[in-house]
Amino acid sequence: MPTIAVDKAALFKALGQEYTTEEFDELCFEFGIELDEDTSTLDRPVINGKQEPAQLKIEIPANRYDMLCFEGISLMLNIFRGKTTSPNYRLAVPPSGELQTITVHEETSCIRPYAAGAILRNIKFTKDRYDSFLALQDKLHQNLGRHRTLVAIGTHDLDTIKGPFSYEALPPEQIQFVPLNQTKSMNGAELMKFYEDDKHLSRYLPIIRDSPVYPVILDSNRTVCSLPPVINSDHSKISVNTRNVFIDVTATDKTKVEVVNNIIVAMFSQYTEDQFTVEPVNIISKHNHESRQVPDLTPRETQAEISYINGCCNLSLTGPEICSLLKRMSYTASPSSASPDLIDVHIPPTRADILHQCDIMEDVAIAYGFNKLPRFFPSKSGTVAQPLMINKLSDIVRQEAAMAGWSEVMPLILCSHDENFAHLNRKDDGTKAVRLANPKTAEYQVVRTSLLPGLLKTIRENKHHSVPIRIFEVSDVAFKDLTLERKSRNERHFAAAWYGKSSGFEVVHGLMDRVMLMLKSAFMTSEEGLEGRAVVDSAYWIDEVDDPTYFPGHAAAIHLRLGGKESVIGVFGILHPTVLENFELK
């Protein structure tokens, strides 16, 4: 969960009440957040002859993007305590009556296809407000924006640039501007080289560096405003004295571009001259049918069932009582005229995390008080716990192998390319193994396609123990599968290895027979003691096989007939001397 540090004195002033650490900790718990640390009890550093103010470090749930700044925390806590009501966010057109526009060019589709924006007119910054404004952008970048890969925010002094604006994708050599807090003009390629050693910005360069075109925001004079997701232009940088802020948001995610835009304008519209008003921007994006006016601050309408809320919380609340509780959580709600069991709920634009009536039920429980909820054991369960069939089968095989005197091992799932192929006398055709793009060591290059390398390495590291060594593993291997969305699939395999002074072929054969017996699969020759339909439907046999991993003439493939279909399900035999030598077991 993200941790937000806020000035203790400023927060208590905004709340209109002083709290002890214990009292504020209890308030946070009631609201569903957590006080992580109060620095007033610690030795704080002295900066420029003045001790750093005491801070409260508060852990915010990952879904509460509206509380990633001082403004959001103070506003939500005041609404929860009944000190204020939920804001009525409004859109206001400028005095000229013409909205600013951002024209999205089709070339951006190949790199960052979505854009949004807004304007905060006549905003009043102080040093603390300005710092909080920048901090919120950073928190949104790191959390919701996934380190700017999904969403990037640019903020500009509107008085230094002129609309209409355009969002384009240009070759890096055609993008020329002075980056933020720099004095030298440079193009896109030079900028990448200039910031490659920068501790802060270098992490964002790979997002666009290898692209033939870079996204760029331009004003009507072709002045560069920003190069998302890397850096803004020094020409349009904001300061404490900025009165009109132009916000641009670019993204690869259609939903998150709207969420981020709504959050940032909602949190800081409280500092505009006409409080909680935002000037919208027209997005012109005809090529992908995304032309629209943003932001959309209209509350979302939904409904919740009173019986569902009461049933989950074991309460007997009426519709008006639930509506009153939701008011403490920044909702607007009223009993529905459609049904006495429904309430109409208006979700504020800052609560993108509300997706289902279970989210509304959770907020009702928070407002009622988790500690006040009656304690009871649920009379109903939404699920019936049971193991997956593949895990149940794995446990049967594990138990039988262990009861036969074999020891289970759990090697790593990654191995070197040679261990997976060359050491087993196998060739890589490039269609099976999942490779790591940037392996840290030569030991971890591919995801294993066989359990055999792990078993042989385990024996190698334990060959000083007394023989025979009998080990087995039941686990997953991975294969490439381009037909699937993730381009790979897992398979559950079983493997066993015997290491001693003789070949042990008959020992491994005996284990295989025992496992197949317990799985009710009969050997193709007449078997005594096996009866029933399962035996008729399932049978296996072995045939000699030429496998380079095994000694010639000493390997067998295991064939299975199940439901009338035949398939090869495995192989066993005496390992080839070169395989033993490769794993230092000769």
Side-chain angles (χ1 to χ4, degrees):
M1 295 190 295
T3 300
I4 310 300
V6 297
D7 186 287
K8 181 177 181 179
L11 181 60
F12 287 174
K13 182 179 179 181
L15 297 178
Q17 182 178 341
E18 292 291 326
Y19 290 90
T20 64
T21 301
E22 292 73 19
E23 290 171 341
F24 187 72
D25 186 31
E26 182 63 24
L27 174 63
C28 289
F29 176 79
E30 290 176 358
F31 188 71
I33 58 180
E34 183 178 349
L35 177 62
D36 187 49
E37 186 179 16
D38 181 354
T39 64
S40 62
T41 60
L42 305 176
D43 291 332
R44 303 188 301 280
V46 177
I47 303 174
N48 297 327
K50 187 177 181 181
Q51 190 177 36
E52 182 185 75
Q55 292 184 329
L56 297 172
K57 296 182 179 181
I58 305 171
E59 283 192 2
I60 306 297
N63 63 309
R64 293 303 300 265
Y65 314 122
D66 57 326
M67 297 183 69
L68 291 176
C69 60
F70 170 90
E71 289 72 18
I73 293 173
S74 59
L75 177 62
M76 292 303 127
L77 289 180
N78 274 329
I79 294 174
F80 180 72
R81 295 158 60 244
K83 300 295 184 180
T84 188
T85 57
S86 182
N88 178 26
Y89 299 105
R90 307 182 310 280
L91 298 180
V93 297
S96 64
E98 293 186 8
L99 298 179
Q100 293 286 2
T101 63
I102 301 176
T103 302
V104 181
H105 289 222
E106 187 174 358
E107 295 77 16
T108 60
S109 299
C110 65
I111 187 163
R112 296 179 79 83
Y114 303 109
I119 294 172
L120 295 176
R121 290 274 184 186
N122 299 315
I123 192 170
K124 295 179 181 178
F125 279 130
T126 63
K127 179 65 168 61
D128 291 338
R129 293 175 181 178
Y130 177 77
D131 291 342
S132 181
F133 186 58
L134 298 182
L136 175 60
Q137 293 179 55
D138 188 58
K139 288 294 183 182
L140 288 172
H141 279 151
Q142 304 311 313
N143 293 277
L144 191 59
R146 294 293 185 270
H147 301 281
R148 304 192 189 182
T149 56
L150 299 182
V151 182
I153 309 165
T155 52
H156 315 277
D157 188 335
L158 184 60
D159 297 328
T160 64
I161 49 181
K162 182 181 179 181
F165 301 93
S166 64
Y167 175 43
E168 305 177 19
L170 301 174
E173 294 76 15
Q174 297 181 18
I175 302 172
Q176 190 81 28
F177 69 106
V178 179
L180 186 65
N181 297 328
Q182 299 297 325
T183 56
K184 178 185 175 182
S185 177
M186 57 187 79
N187 63 33
E190 294 169 338
L191 183 142
M192 290 293 163
K193 188 174 182 180
F194 181 79
Y195 284 109
E196 63 184 4
D197 295 324
D198 187 277
K199 185 181 297 185
H200 174 60
L201 293 177
S202 60
R203 73 187 75 170
Y204 307 121
L205 301 183
I207 301 174
I208 62 171
R209 178 162 48 194
D210 295 331
S211 173
V213 291
Y214 292 174
V216 61
I217 303 286
L218 302 165
D219 74 351
S220 60
N221 296 323
R222 304 297 292 176
T223 300
V224 173
C225 301
S226 66
L227 182 74
V230 181
I231 197 167
N232 293 338
S233 167
D234 191 70
H235 175 83
S236 60
K237 70 178 180 181
I238 65 171
S239 67
V240 176
N241 300 318
T242 298
R243 292 284 290 163
N244 300 301
V245 178
F246 170 65
I247 301 168
D248 72 72
V249 184
T250 59
T252 58
D253 187 286
K254 183 178 177 180
T255 300
K256 288 182 172 58
V257 70
E258 307 294 352
V259 173
V260 168
N261 198 31
N262 289 350
I263 292 293
I264 197 164
V265 299
M267 292 301 100
F268 284 86
S269 61
Q270 59 183 288
Y271 297 138
T272 56
E273 196 170 85
D274 189 2
Q275 199 175 35
F276 299 117
T277 60
V278 179
E279 182 179 320
V281 171
N282 281 329
I283 302 297
I284 302 174
S285 184
K286 296 180 180 179
H287 66 278
N288 57 0
H289 308 290
E290 289 296 326
S291 297
R292 65 203 187 282
Q293 180 178 290
V294 292
D296 182 5
L297 300 178
T298 307
R300 290 183 290 132
E301 297 182 5
T302 188
Q303 291 182 321
E305 298 171 345
I306 297 175
S307 58
Y308 173 81
I309 295 173
N310 284 328
C312 292
C313 301
N314 197 29
L315 298 173
S316 301
L317 300 174
T318 64
E321 289 174 331
I322 292 176
C323 294
S324 179
L325 292 174
L326 287 175
K327 185 177 179 181
R328 298 183 62 193
M329 301 303 292
S330 195
Y331 297 84
T332 302
S334 60
S336 175
S337 58
S339 169
D341 190 43
L342 294 176
I343 55 172
D344 295 326
V345 182
H346 292 78
I347 304 169
T350 54
R351 294 299 304 276
D353 59 301
I354 305 300
L355 304 175
H356 186 271
Q357 66 173 347
C358 66
D359 300 311
I360 297 173
M361 174 274 296
E362 181 185 6
D363 280 345
V364 170
I366 292 173
Y368 184 86
F370 279 137
N371 287 336
K372 298 178 183 177
L373 292 175
R375 299 186 180 185
F376 72 104
F377 191 82
S379 58
K380 297 180 181 179
S381 175
T383 60
V384 178
Q386 59 180 346
L388 295 173
M389 292 306 296
I390 184 65
N391 292 334
K392 186 174 183 179
L393 177 62
S394 300
D395 288 340
I396 292 173
V397 174
R398 284 192 183 99
Q399 185 177 13
E400 292 306 319
M403 292 175 65
W406 296 67
S407 300
E408 184 176 12
V409 296
M410 298 181 67
L412 298 174
I413 64 170
L414 299 179
C415 63
S416 72
H417 183 272
D418 284 346
E419 289 170 346
N420 198 70
F421 292 104
H423 287 188
L424 297 176
N425 294 337
R426 295 173 179 172
K427 293 183 179 180
D428 180 14
D429 60 5
T431 63
K432 294 181 180 179
V434 178
R435 287 175 172 265
L436 273 66
N438 186 27
K440 293 295 183 182
T441 69
E443 289 184 276
Y444 309 122
Q445 295 174 319
V446 298
V447 183
R448 62 187 180 182
T449 59
S450 169
L451 300 181
L452 194 53
L455 295 179
L456 296 180
K457 287 195 292 183
T458 301
I459 294 175
R460 181 186 66 195
E461 300 304 322
N462 293 275
K463 62 183 180 181
H464 58 279
H465 288 284
S466 59
V467 293
I469 296 175
R470 295 186 291 183
I471 58 175
F472 75 94
E473 182 183 7
V474 182
S475 192
D476 283 355
V477 297
F479 295 96
K480 284 183 181 179
D481 191 341
L482 300 183
T483 63
L484 301 178
E485 181 182 4
R486 60 182 181 274
K487 308 303 180 185
S488 67
R489 73 176 190 278
N490 284 12
E491 283 187 7
R492 186 68 52 85
H493 282 198
F494 166 66
W498 187 94
Y499 179 71
K501 295 181 179 180
S502 61
S503 68
F505 184 90
E506 70 284 356
V507 180
V508 176
H509 193 174
L511 175 64
M512 184 266 293
D513 285 338
R514 176 61 183 172
V515 170
M516 298 301 287
L517 174 66
M518 296 311 298
L519 294 176
K520 295 186 177 181
S521 184
F523 198 62
M524 282 296 287
T525 59
S526 59
E527 293 253 356
E528 295 182 4
L530 288 178
E531 298 178 358
R533 183 177 177 182
V535 176
V536 177
D537 291 342
S538 176
Y540 74 98
W541 69 95
I542 60 175
D543 277 337
E544 182 179 343
V545 66
D546 185 15
D547 189 319
T549 302
Y550 301 93
F551 197 76
H554 293 75
I558 308 168
H559 296 257
L560 177 70
R561 186 182 67 202
L562 184 64
K565 295 182 179 180
E566 297 180 4
S567 59
V568 177
I569 62 171
V571 63
F572 71 100
I574 301 172
L575 290 174
H576 198 282
T578 58
V579 174
L580 296 176
E581 188 174 348
N582 289 335
F583 286 94
E584 303 174 20
L585 296 176
K586 191 173 180 181

